[in-house]
């Protein structure tokens, strides 16, 4: 996440010597430059506030430049299928459960709170679009983010396991703060790959260092068909929905929230806490 030091004044016109010095120190911290740089600037400029202001402005512009480049790198690394903006999304038919709101989601409060996000509804109702919007906002806030089609990820995990080359991928995966799993539960998964994905989700849950956004059109009771195991399904639901924000999209079946499996997951979450 980007440091709050980013929010520095663009200029320091009219600032006194002490304020200029503090401003220069702040931008040097943000750029990870030695504090001695400020002493050299102050000495070389011999108290000329106008020149010191120019130094500040140059360094402040470098902060902006590095931030823009960092955001571009995060968005590229996230591998979104397309870029969507909040202005593209119409939330009028989406049902937000409990105290969840669109404003809360796009503020990324759920990331700081360590909450997952579950989007449930029929295909073509906007789940993928909203998850991309949130993912792009997470990148702009400095969070490493990655978008996956779940089937492709499961197949990759199975392939890497077979090649005994899983380690480097898992290390990188574990450092990604926001993971988007799109089209979850559409088809039966490779047993080896889905076990590895479960382990990744469980690890992120236990350490509390990741949040997952999962898009699905399947009720929890139907997940067993793609996970091949009732035990794994119950554990996956329990770890995923604990403290999760739940969104129902147009045409969503409210039976999902009333399913026995969800009730068992809620009970399990309470038992663990």
């Amino acid at each position: 996440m980007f440091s709050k030091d980013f929010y520095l004044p663009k200029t320091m016109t009219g600032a006194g010597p002490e304020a200029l010095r503090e401003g220069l120190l702040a931008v040097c911290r943000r750029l990870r430059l030695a504090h001695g740089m400020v002493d050299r600037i102050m000495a070389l400029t011999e108290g000329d506030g106008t020149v010191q202001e120019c130094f500040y402005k140059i360094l402040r512009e470098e902060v902006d430049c590095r931030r823009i480049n960092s955001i571009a790198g995060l968005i590229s690394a996230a591998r979104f299928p397309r870029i969507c903006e909040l202005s593209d999304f119409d939330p009028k038919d989406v049902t937000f459960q409990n105290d969840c709101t669109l404003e809360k989601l796009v503020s990324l409060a759920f990331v700081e709170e360590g909450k997952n996000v579950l989007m449930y509804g029929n295909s073509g109702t906007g789940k993928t679009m909203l998850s991309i919007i949130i993912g792009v906002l997470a990148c702009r806030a400095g969070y490493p983010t990655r978008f996956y089609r779940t089937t492709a990820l499961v197949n990759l995990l199975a392939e890497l396991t077979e090649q005994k080359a899983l380690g480097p991928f898992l290390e990188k995966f574990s450092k990604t703060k926001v993971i988007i799993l799109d089209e979850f539960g559409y088809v039966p998964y490779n047993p080896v790959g889905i076990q590895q994905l479960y382990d990744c989700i469980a690890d992120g849950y236990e350490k509390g260092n990741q949040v997952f956004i999962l898009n699905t059109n399947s009720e929890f009771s139907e997940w067993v068909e793609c996970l091949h195991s009732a035990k794994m399904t119950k554990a996956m639901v329990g770890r995923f929905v604990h403290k999760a924000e739940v969104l129902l999209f147009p045409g969503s079946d409210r039976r999902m929230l009333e399913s026995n499996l969800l009730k068992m997951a809620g009970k399990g979450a309470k038992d663990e806490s």
Side-chain angles (χ1 to χ4, degrees):
M1 184 177 180
F2 290 124
S3 168
K4 294 185 184 302
D5 283 349
F6 168 73
Y7 298 101
L8 298 164
K10 294 288 186 182
T11 65
M12 298 200 70
T13 304
E18 286 303 314
L20 273 168
R21 180 179 179 80
E22 288 302 314
L24 286 166
L25 283 170
V27 292
C28 283
R29 279 197 301 271
R30 186 66 182 88
L31 296 171
R32 298 183 179 180
L33 298 175
H35 289 182
M37 175 76 72
V38 176
D39 294 329
R40 291 195 290 274
I41 290 173
M42 301 301 281
L44 287 170
T45 56
E46 298 180 343
D48 188 331
T50 301
V51 178
Q52 291 167 2
E53 157 67 12
C54 287
F55 271 106
Y56 175 87
K57 189 174 181 180
I58 291 169
L59 293 173
R60 182 63 180 80
E61 287 176 354
E62 179 62 17
V63 170
D64 286 343
C65 184
R66 290 191 185 183
R67 182 174 185 271
I68 290 169
N69 290 339
S70 178
I71 290 171
L74 288 171
I75 290 176
S76 176
R79 299 190 183 180
F80 300 113
R82 62 187 183 277
I83 299 299
C84 302
E85 301 292 349
L86 186 58
S87 58
D88 300 326
F89 183 73
D90 184 358
K92 66 181 178 66
D93 292 326
V94 180
T95 302
F96 296 87
Q97 299 296 306
N98 300 321
D99 63 344
C100 180
T101 63
L102 180 61
E103 291 72 20
K104 185 175 180 181
L105 284 177
V106 299
S107 74
L108 305 178
F110 74 94
V111 179
E112 289 300 302
E113 295 168 1
K115 291 184 176 181
N116 295 319
V117 177
L118 175 65
M119 301 189 191
Y120 172 72
N122 293 329
S123 298
T125 53
K127 302 184 299 297
T128 299
M129 175 184 282
L130 183 55
S131 65
I132 291 173
I133 290 168
I134 295 171
V136 170
L137 291 172
C139 290
R140 290 172 180 164
Y143 293 113
T145 302
R146 186 69 163 84
F147 179 99
Y148 291 101
R149 302 289 187 193
T150 306
T151 300
L153 174 59
V154 170
N155 290 341
L156 174 62
L157 290 169
E159 181 181 336
L160 292 173
T161 300
E162 183 179 354
Q163 297 173 354
K164 301 186 184 303
L166 195 59
F169 175 85
L170 292 181
E171 182 178 358
K172 186 176 181 179
F173 187 93
S174 68
K175 293 177 181 177
T176 304
K177 183 66 175 178
V178 180
I179 301 288
I180 300 170
L181 300 176
D182 196 38
E183 299 180 350
F184 186 92
Y186 279 39
V187 296
Y189 295 126
N190 178 290
V192 174
I194 196 61
Q195 178 65 58
Q196 292 292 355
L197 179 56
Y198 167 76
D199 290 343
C200 290
I201 292 174
D203 187 61
Y205 172 83
E206 296 296 338
K207 293 180 180 177
N209 62 345
Q210 290 178 297
V211 295
F212 294 83
I213 299 174
L214 186 146
N215 304 327
T216 186
N217 66 354
S218 302
E219 296 180 42
F220 289 143
S221 59
E222 297 173 350
W223 285 13
V224 67
E225 297 176 13
C226 62
L227 301 182
H228 310 291
S229 164
K231 184 177 180 180
M232 181 190 292
T233 301
K234 182 178 178 180
M236 176 84 82
V237 171
R239 281 167 171 75
F240 187 83
V241 304
H242 185 206
K243 300 192 304 180
E245 304 286 14
V246 179
L247 285 69
L248 301 179
F249 281 69
S252 299
D253 190 337
R254 294 179 182 275
R255 290 176 301 170
M256 182 183 188
L257 296 183
E258 300 168 0
S259 69
N260 290 331
L261 194 53
L262 180 55
K263 292 175 182 177
M264 286 189 290
K267 181 179 182 301
K270 289 179 182 178
D271 292 343
E272 291 184 19
S273 58

